[in-house]
Amino acid sequence: MTDTAGWTLVIHGGSGIIERGRLAPEADAGARAALHAALDAGSAILSAGGAAIDAVQAAIEVLEDDSHFNAGRGAALTFEGGVELDAAIMEGTGRRAGAVAGVTTVRNPVVLARAVMEHSPHVLLAGAGAERFADEREVARADADWFVLPARRRQLESMRADADWFDVDMKYGTVGAVARDGGGHVAAATSTGGVTGKRWGRIGDSPLIGAGTYADDRSVAVSATGSGEFFIREAAGHEIGARVRLLGETVQQAADTVMAGVKALGGTGGVIVAGADGSTGWSITTPGMYRGKTSGVGKQAGERIVSIYGDEA
């Protein structure tokens, strides 16, 4: 049954050193267009009475296919020059979740993560095993020409020339979506190429349930972006949900408190949050984060916001 609180959708396209002086006008316009397209995809489902889990997947697929972001096409490259893609999806009704890590040929990793959730007894599959599972589920594949862009090659070459080769600031971003549907259920999804120059099969917070991705109908849905190692150590997604559920904090209070904890550990980034009560929020500790949100009741959509820089709404 649809209730009066309606539906909400919040998305991000990554956080980091994203400033007006660093981002070309065409890149700014392209990123905003992609964020609008992702909001269109997700809100079309929610406004028709669809489920939050379907909405977040639809929004993520749009962002994975858009080269402005670090997920799917245009993903950051490993130290060896390839892609290793991670994704997760979770729904709040039964806290079911699916995730994949280190996949190299799956066009939309969020689709494979959803398949893990719905068609396997597991939560997280990695590497060659995840690729075999993709074969079994007939998940769409792509080759290196789809994923690897010249700009990412140049970025990697510049980094490899520097002795300090690890991109801890996450200058190009992970994508995420959180939603609450008209039935009061929440869901979250996150997808990423990781950090430029990553080595040794590094996996960040994005596919780790309770760290970069989390959803619980008793509290919130969360997707994170930033310095993944610190979000893992903070158990950021679960921590936000626990503060809302057990301490009675608002979504914004919980997000700000947890992001302060991440920063105290040495990490930066951002989170987006959709509360089961219909509230939304985001919290950012970097100069910018690609982000957007919309809401509505039934087919009636409310205000839409798309922002990039820290001084925007």
Side-chain angles (χ1 to χ4, degrees), residues 30 57 106 139 172 198 201 216 238 278 291 297 301:
Q57 179 179 334
V106 177
V139 174
Y172 299 92
K198 65 181 180 180
D216 183 349
H238 184 272
R291 60 200 187 274
V297 177

Side-chain angles (χ1 to χ4, degrees), residues 151-194:
R152 295 300 197 206
R153 288 275 186 214
R154 292 192 295 271
Q155 182 186 356
L156 176 63
E157 290 166 5
S158 175
M159 179 164 293
R160 290 178 67 171
D162 190 335
D164 184 15
W165 48 263
F166 185 62
D167 185 17
V168 70
D169 292 319
M170 285 289 292
K171 300 180 182 67
Y172 299 92
T174 295
V175 304
V178 294
R180 178 199 191 271
D181 60 35
H185 305 300
V186 297
T190 313
S191 183
T192 188

Side-chain angles (χ1 to χ4, degrees), residues 106-131:
V106 177
R107 174 166 173 156
N108 293 108
V110 71
V111 174
L112 185 57
R114 178 81 179 264
V116 172
M117 182 182 80
E118 295 184 336
H119 301 290
S120 87
H122 306 302
V123 171
L124 175 60
L125 300 183
E131 301 273 352

